[in-house]
Amino acid sequence: QVQLVESGGGSVQPGGSLRVSCAASAHIFSTYCMGWFRQVSGEKREGVASRDVDGVMDYAKSVQGRFTLSQDNAKNTLYLQMDNLKPEDTAMYYCAVALMSGRCSGDYLAKFGHWDQGTQVTVSS
């Protein structure tokens, strides 16, 4: 069973920053692709960012240059730093893991990943 512990998120004004984190077991963290997708109620899921087992990071074009993945291997935790947030970034953000060892993406996580309860990110003035 895949268990992910997500924290962070919240509300911020446009141009502000937030960080979400996702902790997993050591096995999950070191073996599989992890990352985030987001979803606005009533709309389809959108891949945001991913980190594959080789540490290769991938970002959706909509967040490139603004969002950054990082990781703490000692804590088995992946972080998504979100800077210069825009109102269109408002969504539920879901940390997800794909039980595969190849190259992945946020869109792949959105379609095939296992995810947790998610955290709300709201960008509004």
Side-chain angles (χ1 to χ4, degrees):
Q1 184 177 357
V2 176
Q3 289 188 317
L4 303 169
V5 179
E6 188 172 6
S7 61
S11 298
V12 68
Q13 293 185 340
S17 298
L18 288 171
R19 189 177 78 163
V20 291
S21 63
C22 180
S25 69
H27 173 71
I28 292 292
F29 185 79
S30 63
T31 307
Y32 301 117
C33 167
M34 290 181 62
W36 275 268
F37 66 88
R38 63 189 181 187
Q39 187 172 29
V40 176
S41 181
E43 299 183 10
K44 68 176 184 178
R45 298 172 195 157
E46 178 190 15
V48 175
S50 65
R51 179 228 65 186
D52 69 17
V53 294
D54 295 322
V56 177
M57 312 292 193
D58 183 74
Y59 300 92
K61 289 183 179 179
S62 59
V63 305
Q64 278 183 347
R66 300 188 297 120
F67 290 14
T68 305
L69 286 170
S70 63
Q71 60 188 51
D72 186 332
N73 294 334
K75 296 182 178 180
N76 301 316
T77 299
L78 191 66
Y79 301 97
L80 180 67
Q81 177 67 39
M82 302 178 286
D83 297 320
N84 191 21
L85 282 160
K86 303 176 180 180
E88 52 263 42
D89 294 318
T90 296
M92 281 290 289
Y93 282 69
Y94 295 89
C95 176
V97 58
L99 301 182
M100 50 86 81
S101 56
R103 191 60 49 85
C104 70
S105 67
D107 283 339
Y108 186 93
L109 289 167
K111 292 178 182 178
F112 304 109
H114 299 262
W115 63 89
D116 66 333
Q117 77 280 1
T119 187
Q120 178 68 37
V121 171
T122 301
V123 185
S124 174
S125 56

